[in-house]
Amino acid sequence: MDQDTKSRILQDSYKTLERLKDNYLPSIDTYKMNNLIKGMKSKDVYITRADKTNNVVIMNKQTYDERVQSLTDNGPYDVIDDDPITTLINDVHKTINKHINVLTELISPNFYNEPRPHTKYASSKLDESVRYQLKNRNPHIPILHCTAKLHKDPPDKMRPISSNIDAPCERIAKWLVKQFSQMTPPKSFSVKNATEFTNKLKNVKIGRNEMMASYDVESLYPSIPVEESISLLKKWLISNGIAEPYIDMYIDLTRLCMEQNYFMFRGKIYKQRYGTAMGNSLSSFIAEIFMADFEMKASKDDKFPRIWIRFIDDVFVIMNRRKIKPTMDWLNSLKDSINFTNEVEQNNVLPFLDVLVQGLK
């Protein structure tokens, strides 16, 4: 929209909110609401949401359990007999202690204004403050839940997501994401949202022999080669001019977060033996590092599509209609762990993210 339209909408919204803020809004009948929630929980159903949308999915519990069990049985997961939580907590303690001096410099709120305290008591107190910020108070093994991939065909696939809120290394993962987001991002063809996507498409024309298509990486997070991605992360940190002690700290903490890849489902504890975990705050950044390197290397080949716009694991392309399948086969040959599928436009229309793209030819 043009700036005048944006300003007018903003002013109208503000006036509406001003009129509403003093009006009486009846509160929800909490008694009825609680009874409704209890009633739903007592039924033999599981309530979740659809993958990549906000649609609510109500599924028979037995069907849900069977689908998730099939996923854990056939995926890159091993059942663990002993609870590893004590070992995971100790590993967090050891890694933080190893880099406590560097961490204190970065996390201390007065680092830029005051030198590190010289007295043993003050220094110890500051170190404990850092440990307190990076450790979860009551850590436990993440619980697995799955969302339904209703947009897939057939619509019976599930996406595994582990609830890492109280995982031993989740605070570290969130802190690393915050640190990395302040640096120059890796060069790539990715977009952050639908607005960036539509802006990329402005003034793009489709040739007579071209068509729109989308490539989708199957199970991206479990397919990411972690050690290779950590090596790419190190190169990226060096390109950002980060000093060696800080690089060592970032790499050790990242490897810690990636190795603590455990979850629990129906009383059993599993370890994911390959890739990154859905639910770990750091997984999306590690996946972005890997995919950015993948597409930048691929873009140097003549087979690379003329238009390539990526959102995480979904890619929008415009290219010669005869080369869509051969290009997908070529992409799948570049990395053993990465497998692309494709979807082509229908009647000059292709859905991508929450946008319906119509090509005018």
Side-chain angles (χ1 to χ4, degrees), residues 104-105 114-127:
T104 303
E105 291 179 355
E114 300 177 8
R116 181 177 173 84
H118 293 289
T119 65
K120 183 177 180 181
Y121 172 77
S123 178
S124 175
K125 189 175 181 180
L126 191 56
D127 291 350

Side-chain angles (χ1 to χ4, degrees), residues 1-13 15:
M1 297 179 185
D2 60 82
Q3 191 58 45
D4 290 340
T5 304
K6 291 180 181 179
S7 299
R8 187 166 63 253
I9 292 174
L10 185 63
Q11 292 172 7
D12 290 345
S13 301
K15 290 177 182 178

Side-chain angles (χ1 to χ4, degrees), residues 159 217-226 272 274-280 283-285 287-288 312-313:
R159 183 184 296 277
V217 182
E218 286 188 322
S219 303
L220 174 62
Y221 284 19
S223 302
I224 296 295
V226 173
Q272 185 173 318
Y274 193 87
T276 63
M278 288 288 292
N280 187 315
S283 291
S284 59
F285 184 82
E288 177 61 28
I312 306 177
D313 58 352

Side-chain angles (χ1 to χ4, degrees), residues 323-335:
K323 295 183 178 180
I324 290 176
K325 179 63 167 61
T327 298
M328 184 181 71
D329 295 338
W330 167 69
L331 290 169
N332 287 336
S333 70
L334 300 179
K335 290 287 182 182

Side-chain angles (χ1 to χ4, degrees), residues 278-294:
M278 288 288 292
N280 187 315
S281 297
L282 190 57
S283 291
S284 59
F285 184 82
I286 296 301
E288 177 61 28
I289 284 283
F290 174 79
M291 287 303 298
D293 179 76
F294 176 89

